[in-house]
Amino acid sequence: MPAIFQSTNLQVDIGSLIGRLSLKQSESGIKSAIRNLSTGLRIHTAKDDPTGFIASSSMQTDILSMNHAIAGCQRMNSLIAETDSTLAQMNSLLIDLRALVTQAANTGGETAETLASLQMQADAILDTFDYLANSTVFQDKKLIDGSLDFTTYGIRSQKILDYTINQANFLGRTEKDVSVQVLQPPRQGELYYPYGALKNDITIGVGGTGGIQSFNFSKGATVHDIAEAVNRFSDATGVAASVYSRPTAGALGITSYGANNDVLLTASQTGRAAGNYVIRYTAPKTGNDELSLNVIQGTGNEPTLLEVMLKTEAGGNVLTTANDVVTLLNTSPLLKDYYGNALLTARIPNNQTGTGIVTPFSEVAYYGSADESNLLQFLGPKDSPAIRFVSSPNSPLSIDYASDPPVRTRAAATVQGLDADTSFILRERNPGAEYNDIAVIFFDSTDEGVQFDPQQNAVVFSVDFTGRAVSGNAFTMNDLRSWTADELTVSSMFSVEPLSDYPSDQPPKFVNSGYIGINETLAKTSGGLVSSGTLLINLETDYDGNIKTTANDLVRFFNNPSTEEAAEILRQLGISVANVDPGNSNLNVCTSGLSPNGVGLLKPTYDPLNPPCDDTTGMKPDVVFGSYGPNLLPDFPTALVTASNGADAVFQITARRTDEQFSGTSVYITSDDKGPSVVYDAQAKQIIIGINPSSPSTAKEIVALINSDAEIHQWFEASVPAEVPGLKRPPTGDAFVRIGDGGLLKYTGSNINYGASLFGASDGGALGLTFHSVEYGSGEFVSIILPPNTDFPLTDRFGNVVEKSFGTDIAAKIGGKLATGRGRTASLSTSDLDLSLVIDAAAQSGEVFGFRIDGGGAILQLGKDPTSNQQARIGIQSMNTASLGSVNGLLSQLRSGREYSLLNHSNRAYEIVEEVSAQVSALRGRLGAFQRYQLQANIDNLIDAVEVESGALSSIRDADFAAESSNMGRLQLLMQANISALSQNRQSMQMLLGLLQ
């Protein structure tokens, strides 16, 4: 029995298990089919289809990213639309502004009130421009205020006048380097006339892109006359004219009184910078054993000073010859460049030996005109007299220094005391200029006393300030006076005059710590020569008063005076003269009176029958010695008002103009019970400041009084000086001024008594005339229309004889790629860089420069991936008036009172408005093109891509309902069959169990 049951149970279990397994599979298949049919998806988890799951997940991510990119592009579409709306308003405003400019140009037909109204309307338009630029906002982002523009580094330091960066892709970097190589610079249409003046009367037509204008010129008209006439109509013709030139070398004929002692000095290179030298001869009175050269290098526009220290005996007698000077200048290492090349060349004139003794000079004067062939150069020592040319009928050539002799007084130096009552005057005992420029120095030393130091040319007071400060034994005014009186050398030359009265038993004390270790110049003596007088040159004339003296005649007279009296005067003065030819650096004959440029007749410097329009005081010499050459540096006369109450009571007054009428104006502090007050007496040349003795004023209060007086302040301004000689801190201006204080306005500039400059050094001397188009580029031209057989030769830049010439566009590479040139503008448009650069026309072929774009711009995400190749970085420039415009000017310069307002310069205003209109339209066009051809096309492309990927994703993920339904029916049949089989198997088992029971 057990064996039978075991066998039977085994058979039943196997069939049941197979049936149940099949049933479970059918149930699982039915559940999966029901899930797929109910969700519509075939893949729910990775196990459903691992490969399909991976593909579908990637596609889902792409579709989501593209949908966000579409949304972002649509927002950018709205942003650009907002920008374009504002730019359209700006375009409309520019149209109105252009109409106002045109109307304002009608100055002859409009009243002043109408013109003012037009400017007021223009200002309102410009205000609206700035408002729109600063208030155009999209989602809190300002659009056209410049915040979306690119930022650059180094672009303005190159030869790039203006630029617009439309788009730049940094390609994953933080900045973008841009190189520019000029292949060919832009050119104007140019025609050249190679002469300086016209040989005959002429009529010419000048034509360009603007139109044609006819001109009539007379024989002898200079190229400057022609250029001036043509340029008056350049805005109508599009053609301008300029005098063209070539660089010239500077030269100087260093003449000295006497024979065979002239030196010719010439710059080794051409150009203004190469000839920027000033030279003087200095003869030390104390004696100088060796000829030497001091070189003070110039900075900025200041020239380099060459000071030849002549070899002298004690007393100042010169021992140096012209040959010695030539050798010094040609061999000195101070006048060599890095490679040992000479910067200057010195030589002796061909007709001289160079063996004559030279004479010192530090001042120069010029007379005459190169155009009249009588330009002269005078060299003389410091304080040389003015020169006046006069004439009377039937007179020989002669000189006179007795009619207007020099006026001398006692030189003095006013030392501003740092303590109250310590100011004093060191005054020369004898009148004359011999002791001018002697310094006063305090020196902190235990070896006390006073002495005259000829090496420093100074009176030196040695005082033990340090030791006295410790001991309390202060140095006093009595000590100062007694030391000076006791030292025989000093007392024979000078006396000390305190500015304040004081009891002899209570002398003022020098206790200010600022005196400790001063060892510097506190003041210098001056005033020994009130006037140098006037050297009269009587020109030779005939019986009718016609002048016969030429420039060459005067040079020969100075070299060989006709009388011993004249020779003695010139020997005493040490003045020499030479011809000057600005167009010829070879001056060999200019020092001897044989120059072809010296054949012109001389003229009186003053004609009493035809006085100058500003003559109010009678005869004035117009040949006055100065420094540097014919053009003196401007200097404003200044008075440092000496204060007896100490340095903190010091103030200064400066003339507001360089007019000579203010030099020599005295400043007096006087008593005024109703003060403070200030009065300027122009006739007496006095500034009188009144103070109330019972209520004195401080220096600051006097300064405020002068500056607040409208009448006084139009001529003068006052201030507390930044420093006072000897004071180691700035003066405060808080101390009271006193009655009796005062000063004298005088020139203080460094150009006084400096030397003579090389003459004729220039970056270009006039040679001819250039007719050129105003603008650059192949579309510009210049045409000169001439009647038949007209003697007016014209050539192009290649030397071809032509009457019409076209310009050329710039050729350049930007970032290694060939740019598009139009006039001076080089443009490049690639996938990673879109910009336009206005290149300086002075750029040379082959010249390379660069800059970098280091930020800025608006980054636009165009594709699904945030990579540089799926992004655009565009720049939107600032549209405010301070940014709009280009090389012609800015829109903001059209405002009231600015350079190109409608009332000041309507022509330039029109050019600027046209330029700005083009800029605004260009920005609108660029943004519109980006919107249409990049942004909208990108949106359409993304939508198509989403549709395609969505279809592909659906084919992978979506369930096939027919297949799923058929599969579900099959599984249901199998499930029913499995249930039926299991049921029959159960019945068989029950029957078997029943039999066994």
Side-chain angles (χ1 to χ4, degrees), residues 970-986:
R970 182 180 63 80
L971 291 173
Q972 285 176 332
L973 289 175
L974 289 175
M975 183 176 178
Q976 290 175 357
N978 286 331
I979 292 172
S980 176
L982 287 173
S983 176
Q984 290 176 2
N985 185 50
R986 189 179 300 110

Side-chain angles (χ1 to χ4, degrees), residues 83-101:
T83 304
D84 184 70
S85 176
T86 301
L87 293 177
Q89 292 293 329
M90 288 183 168
N91 259 337
S92 178
L93 290 172
L94 286 170
I95 292 172
D96 293 340
L97 182 58
R98 182 165 52 185
L100 293 175
V101 172

Side-chain angles (χ1 to χ4, degrees), residues 753-803:
N753 303 322
Y754 200 67
S757 63
L758 268 63
F759 197 94
S762 71
D763 296 324
L767 295 177
L769 189 67
T770 301
F771 296 95
H772 59 85
S773 58
V774 174
E775 300 296 336
Y776 293 77
S778 56
E780 301 293 327
F781 71 91
V782 56
S783 175
I784 305 299
I785 304 168
L786 300 169
N789 302 319
T790 300
D791 185 14
F792 194 76
L794 293 167
T795 61
D796 62 13
R797 61 190 178 93
F798 301 107
N800 302 315
V801 178
V802 295
E803 293 181 359

Side-chain angles (χ1 to χ4, degrees), residues 37 960-972:
L37 289 172
D960 186 338
F961 275 80
E964 291 293 339
S965 298
S966 175
N967 186 44
M968 184 175 179
R970 182 180 63 80
L971 291 173
Q972 285 176 332

Side-chain angles (χ1 to χ4, degrees), residues 735-748:
F736 295 119
V737 298
R738 290 179 176 176
I739 297 170
D741 292 349
L744 182 70
L745 271 73
K746 56 185 178 181
Y747 292 109
T748 59

